[in-house]
């Protein structure tokens, strides 16, 4: 019985949500901001929420803000945390049920603090399926990256210090 359930889940994987960043990659200069949309393409199973764990290189990028996407029906945010020393971010929100639709679940704004390329990795993502709850859809997640060009920001001491 368990083997048949596993096969049916793999066969039905197209009905579940895919998660990716838009834009998928971009190049910015040190001292500027880079915005990415956490995009959620909901399949036919229907979903009433998202829970995503994201990692980035804190030596290259720092999160400035994470806000609910303008087109998102998931307006009840239960987790919205980030740690710029560890390079981690977690965002979870629920709301109206959607199916067969692509939406911006969250908008993330980074500050580019040093040259280099930072992956933006989707470490884990769950969609909340009606009459089921959280369901892992990591296999349908596509990571992104931000390349930062220019010289590292240097702080200068104030006069007389």
């Amino acid at each position: 019985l368990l083997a048949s359930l596993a096969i049916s889940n793999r066969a039905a994987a197209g009905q579940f949500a895919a998660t990716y960043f838009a834009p998928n990659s971009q190049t910015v200069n040190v001292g500027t901001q880079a915005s990415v949309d956490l995009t959620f393409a909901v399949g036919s199973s229907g979903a009433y929420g998202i829970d995503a764990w994201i990692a980035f290189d804190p030596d290259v990028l720092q999160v400035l803000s994470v806000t609910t996407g303008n087109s998102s029906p998931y307006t009840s945010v239960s987790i919205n945390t980030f740690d710029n020393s560890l390079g981690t971010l977690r965002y979870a929100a629920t709301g109206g049920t959607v199916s067969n639709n692509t939406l911006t679940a969250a908008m993330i704004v980074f500050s580019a603090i040093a040259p280099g390329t930072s992956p933006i990795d989707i470490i884990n993502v769950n969609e909340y399926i009606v009459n089921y709850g959280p369901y892992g859809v990591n296999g349908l997640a596509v990571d992104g990256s931000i390349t930062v060009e220019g010289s590292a920001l240097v702080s200068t001491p104030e006069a007389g210090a």
Side-chain angles (χ1 to χ4, degrees), residues 4-155:
S4 67
L5 288 174
I7 291 170
S8 67
N9 282 342
R10 270 187 270 134
Q15 71 184 356
F16 300 112
T19 311
Y20 58 93
F21 295 105
N24 181 263
S25 65
Q26 61 184 296
T27 300
V28 298
N29 292 316
V30 169
T32 63
Q33 296 179 2
S35 298
V36 295
D37 292 342
L38 178 62
T39 305
F40 201 45
V42 181
S44 61
S45 63
Y48 65 92
I50 184 173
D51 189 357
W53 292 259
I54 297 165
F56 58 93
D57 184 343
D59 293 329
V60 177
L61 300 173
Q62 299 280 284
V63 174
L64 294 176
S65 66
V66 182
T67 56
T68 301
N70 294 332
S71 65
S72 180
Y74 309 143
T75 56
S76 180
V77 178
S78 57
I79 301 170
N80 187 355
T81 61
F82 55 87
D83 185 326
N84 281 323
S85 62
L86 296 175
T88 59
L89 180 155
R90 183 167 178 204
Y91 181 84
T94 56
T97 301
V98 297
S99 58
N100 298 316
N101 195 4
T102 299
L103 55 98
T104 298
M107 298 176 293
I108 306 165
V109 178
F110 291 98
S111 175
I113 62 166
T117 298
S118 174
I120 307 172
D121 294 331
I122 300 172
I123 302 303
N124 188 43
V125 65
N126 290 326
E127 71 174 309
Y128 286 85
I129 300 174
V130 176
N131 298 323
Y132 183 80
Y135 184 83
V137 287
N138 295 339
L140 301 174
V142 179
D143 300 330
S145 67
I146 297 175
T147 299
V148 179
E149 297 178 335
S151 300
L153 295 175
V154 178
S155 60

